[in-house]
Amino acid sequence: MNTAAEALYIPCGGADACFGLLHTPEGQDPPRVGVLMVPPFGWDDISSYRSRRHWALQLTAAGRTVLRIDLPSTGDSPGSPRDPDRLGAWSHGVAVSADLLRERGCEHLVAIGMGLGGLVTVAALQNGAAVDDLVLWAVPARGSRLVRELRAFARLNAINPEPGEAATSPAGESEGALEVNGYLLTGDTVAALEALDLSDLNLSEHPGRRAMVLGRDGISPDRRLIAALSDANVEVTVGDGAGFTEMTNHPEQALPPTVQIDDVDAWIDSPPVGSSPAEALRPRPRGSALSRWDSSEGQVGISEQPLVLELPSGRTVGVLTAPLEDEAAPVMAVLLNAGAVRRIGPSRLWVDLARRWAAAGVATLRVDIEGVGDADGDVAPFREVASFYRPRPIEQVIAVLDALQRGQGASSFLLLGLCSGGYWAFQAALEDSRVQASFLVNSGALWWDDRLLTEREAHRARWIRDRTSWSRVVKGEVPATRIVSILAARARRTPSNLAASRPDIEGLTDRSLERISESGRRLLLAFSAREPLYDELKRNGQLERVSSLPNVELVRLPGADHTLRPVRTQQRTLAILDAALERERDNWPD
């Protein structure tokens, strides 16, 4: 299967643009049918990303052109969620993305929108977007319903506020702002969504459209949306939407909804493709796609450029953010995947960090390794946590550095990773002298043995003897299944026996830290509260030795969330990493 895709930016007016990946069938005339994929919001976007890539490859193999986009201020696209009129920017982004597919020769256009992406797509259609048919999956007729669902999801995944912070809204944000599992909607965006109502569609002047409306694993499609489409003379097909939950479960566990995908693909092909009701809706400008996007971070100009890297395992995609005018620093920063989360990082944190560092003069690449995001390879091994700590991902990181040296002339690197990405950054520093420094954020380990997982669960058994811990279970803050897992681990082995049966990780850690220190390379270890690795270093009496080593710095991060989800935590963590970068730059040549 051809996995090549053209990475591009689609200007949406002003400072807004959509980042897109355009899949074109090989060796064919321009396909008559084009498919535009518009993602859901936040966590659903993160979790379903790999499944949507799989779907796009399947559609392309069947002879269709497919464009996957990130809406403005989301994913890899320019902008911030704090920018004004995000709903208008999203709607316009769908319209200009549809125009691009028309420019590429597609005569009939199907838009697949999920959640927020579907809501925005129908709004764009009302404003004249050149879309013919619709696939709407888990899409409500009213934005107020979507906001209610997001609020419920936010409460379910709420993180206890830090001392002195309010629990009701993100600290420092506008009134009415909504923080959903680490993703921000400002008060203005929430209000605009709540005012959006698709119950009275004005599409009757353009008959001939079809829509497939899918529910969500037992939750029926919105009846108001079905009625509105039918009243607008749209031919509606209804489906149950089975598989949505599995697709949006977790980046490491998500599964493509193959049955639903096949049903939608068959529906797209079912009628003869005749005249296009959207053909004359709006003028379509030519040459709108850009291979690079220039913008600013504060008063400093930066550029973002997609890079398709050829690795021994296949292709991968990264985005290089660099200073626009000044010469870049002699060391390039590389931001690694946090587990199976694509290159944008948890809560899009790597996008913000790359732009800040580029504005400070440091070219920064965020990139996917094999099997993650847009990289070739099989994601299935990553359904086991231990797979992230095998040699293969570390080999991938070094292959990325090889590709950057060939293609960009870079020869010195700073690596940054969270969780397993921190482990890769540490191990790559041990193996490759081009790594001048590694920043490890809540690293899962420094050295790995599969028995570590069981040992950590056994240690947590002590936690359940705490009365406040059971209070958190009763409140729903900790799932009861977690307690069962901890008790089972405790019953199997004791922490001391487990530690005795695995390799000497403490000795390996001491020797490897000394090697890095003696080599002159630098290491930042950054930990939130209750991180297993930090607790192990403290329990083993290694924290003081770590702190005393030259070129090794230990810092504490705010809060106790492993992936730094609270918006306030993200802001403070970015400032901590900015300061660490400035200290690191003192060691670089002029």
Side-chain angles (χ1 to χ4, degrees):
M1 181 183 295
N2 175 32
T3 60
E6 178 187 357
L8 42 77
Y9 295 93
I10 309 163
C12 302
D16 286 320
C18 292
F19 178 87
L21 287 156
L22 184 67
H23 301 261
T24 305
E26 285 187 325
Q28 299 184 28
D29 294 331
R32 294 191 67 198
V33 177
V35 179
L36 174 63
M37 303 188 77
V38 189
F41 175 75
W43 182 250
D44 284 352
D45 167 35
I46 289 288
S47 298
S48 67
Y49 190 83
R50 190 74 180 180
S51 295
R52 287 182 278 122
R53 176 183 183 268
H54 168 87
W55 195 350
L57 295 177
Q58 181 170 315
L59 287 163
T60 307
R64 306 173 183 112
T65 296
V66 182
L67 176 60
R68 294 184 288 136
I69 64 169
D70 291 332
L71 294 168
S73 301
T74 73
D76 282 306
S77 293
S80 161
R82 298 174 179 85
D83 292 341
D85 190 21
R86 290 304 81 195
L87 181 57
W90 295 339
S91 175
H92 190 56
V94 170
V96 296
S97 298
D99 292 345
L100 179 64
L101 282 169
R102 297 286 185 184
E103 293 169 15
R104 297 299 176 100
C106 298
E107 299 176 6
H108 191 90
L109 188 58
V110 180
I112 300 175
M114 303 177 184
L116 173 67
L119 194 71
V120 169
T121 298
V122 179
L125 193 65
Q126 289 194 103
N127 294 326
V131 172
D132 299 302
D133 297 336
L134 298 166
V135 177
L136 303 173
W137 199 346
V139 177
R142 295 177 177 175
S144 56
R145 175 174 168 180
L146 176 68
V147 171
R148 285 197 303 273
E149 292 172 355
L150 291 174
R151 288 192 192 281
F153 185 70
R155 286 193 296 271
L156 185 65
N157 292 275
I159 300 165
N160 289 333
E162 297 175 42
E165 292 183 2
T168 54
S169 63
E173 300 298 337
S174 59
E175 184 179 354
L178 177 60
E179 182 181 334
V180 188
N181 204 31
Y183 297 87
L184 176 68
L185 293 170
T186 66
D188 288 345
T189 302
V190 169
L193 283 171
E194 289 181 322
L196 181 60
D197 189 347
L198 306 179
S199 300
D200 186 19
L201 292 174
N202 182 22
L203 306 176
S204 57
E205 295 180 4
H206 307 285
R209 283 194 175 89
R210 301 179 307 141
M212 189 174 196
V213 183
L214 304 175
R216 181 172 182 166
D217 293 304
I219 301 176
S220 300
D222 191 322
R223 289 177 294 177
R224 289 191 183 93
L225 181 60
I226 294 171
L229 291 167
S230 298
D231 290 345
N233 295 324
V234 177
E235 178 189 326
V236 180
T237 300
V238 176
D240 61 8
F244 193 92
T245 300
E246 284 189 334
M247 179 176 61
T248 56
N249 176 23
H250 191 283
E252 293 159 20
Q253 304 295 329
L255 295 172
T258 52
V259 173
Q260 201 67 254
I261 287 174
D262 290 343
D263 288 348
V264 173
D265 291 359
W267 177 84
I268 290 174
D269 282 340
S270 59
V273 179
S275 60
S276 171
E279 185 67 27
L281 280 181
R282 52 183 282 132
R284 288 179 281 279
R286 302 290 173 178
S288 59
L290 300 174
S291 60
R292 191 183 86 171
W293 186 259
D294 296 342
S295 60
S296 63
E297 181 70 23
Q299 301 299 315
V300 179
I302 62 173
S303 70
E304 292 202 297
Q305 180 179 2
L307 297 182
V308 177
L309 304 179
E310 296 288 346
L311 307 181
S313 60
R315 295 182 178 91
T316 190
V317 174
V319 176
L320 179 63
T321 310
L324 190 57
E325 297 178 358
D326 296 336
E327 184 177 347
V331 177
M332 178 182 289
V334 179
L335 310 183
L336 304 174
N337 295 117
V341 175
R342 74 182 190 269
R343 60 191 170 272
I344 65 173
S347 305
R348 203 175 176 241
L349 201 60
W350 288 180
V351 177
D352 290 337
L353 190 64
R355 292 171 183 170
R356 292 162 71 110
W357 285 8
V362 179
T364 304
L365 177 78
R366 52 188 189 268
V367 67
D368 294 322
I369 68 156
E370 182 181 18
V372 179
D374 286 297
D376 289 346
D378 188 4
V379 71
F382 291 140
R383 296 191 181 107
E384 296 293 332
V385 172
S387 296
F388 289 101
Y389 298 90
R390 303 283 186 244
R392 182 72 174 177
I394 302 161
E395 295 167 1
Q396 289 287 302
V397 172
I398 293 173
V400 166
L401 304 188
D402 292 340
L404 289 173
Q405 187 162 14
R406 289 193 305 268
Q408 302 296 315
S411 58
S412 297
F413 300 95
L414 182 160
L415 303 182
L416 181 145
L418 183 147
C419 193
S420 57
Y423 175 79
W424 306 336
F426 180 74
Q427 292 293 322
L430 289 173
E431 294 189 21
D432 197 311
S433 62
R434 293 173 296 182
V435 180
Q436 299 298 304
S438 289
F439 288 5
L440 282 57
V441 180
N442 289 337
S443 182
L446 298 181
W447 286 91
W448 183 262
D449 181 85
D450 289 353
R451 283 162 285 193
L452 264 180
L453 291 174
T454 307
E455 183 181 337
R456 286 173 176 177
E457 289 302 309
H459 270 291
R460 291 188 184 104
R462 300 168 182 171
W463 170 85
I464 67 174
R465 294 199 294 267
D466 184 354
R467 184 177 299 176
T468 60
S469 300
W470 285 104
S471 174
R472 292 177 62 199
V473 175
V474 171
K475 293 177 182 178
E477 296 175 2
V478 177
T481 52
R482 180 74 179 279
I483 300 296
V484 173
S485 171
I486 291 172
L487 289 173
R490 181 69 174 177
R492 289 194 296 272
R493 305 291 296 274
T494 65
S496 57
N497 287 343
L498 284 163
S501 66
R502 59 163 167 73
D504 180 18
I505 289 181
E506 291 80 11
L508 287 170
T509 297
D510 284 339
R511 291 190 292 274
S512 58
L513 287 170
E514 289 172 0
R515 276 179 54 198
I516 286 181
S517 181
E518 291 169 358
S519 72
R521 280 170 274 175
R522 291 156 302 279
L523 189 69
L524 175 77
L525 299 172
F527 293 105
S528 303
R530 297 198 292 270
E531 281 298 309
L533 176 58
Y534 180 89
D535 291 343
E536 287 159 6
L537 292 172
K538 183 177 181 180
R539 191 163 52 243
N540 298 332
Q542 292 175 297
L543 276 184
E544 288 187 6
R545 294 201 298 275
V546 169
S547 300
S548 67
L549 288 171
N551 306 330
V552 178
E553 183 181 1
L554 180 68
V555 300
R556 300 309 304 271
L557 300 175
D561 187 67
H562 179 65
T563 55
L564 313 169
R565 284 174 296 168
V567 171
R568 179 66 177 270
T569 297
Q570 295 170 33
Q571 294 168 341
R572 292 169 63 186
T573 298
L574 287 170
I576 289 170
L577 294 174
D578 286 347
L581 177 68
E582 286 306 306
R583 292 192 295 273
E584 169 61 24
R585 292 185 67 173
D586 291 339
N587 298 293
W588 295 351
D590 294 331

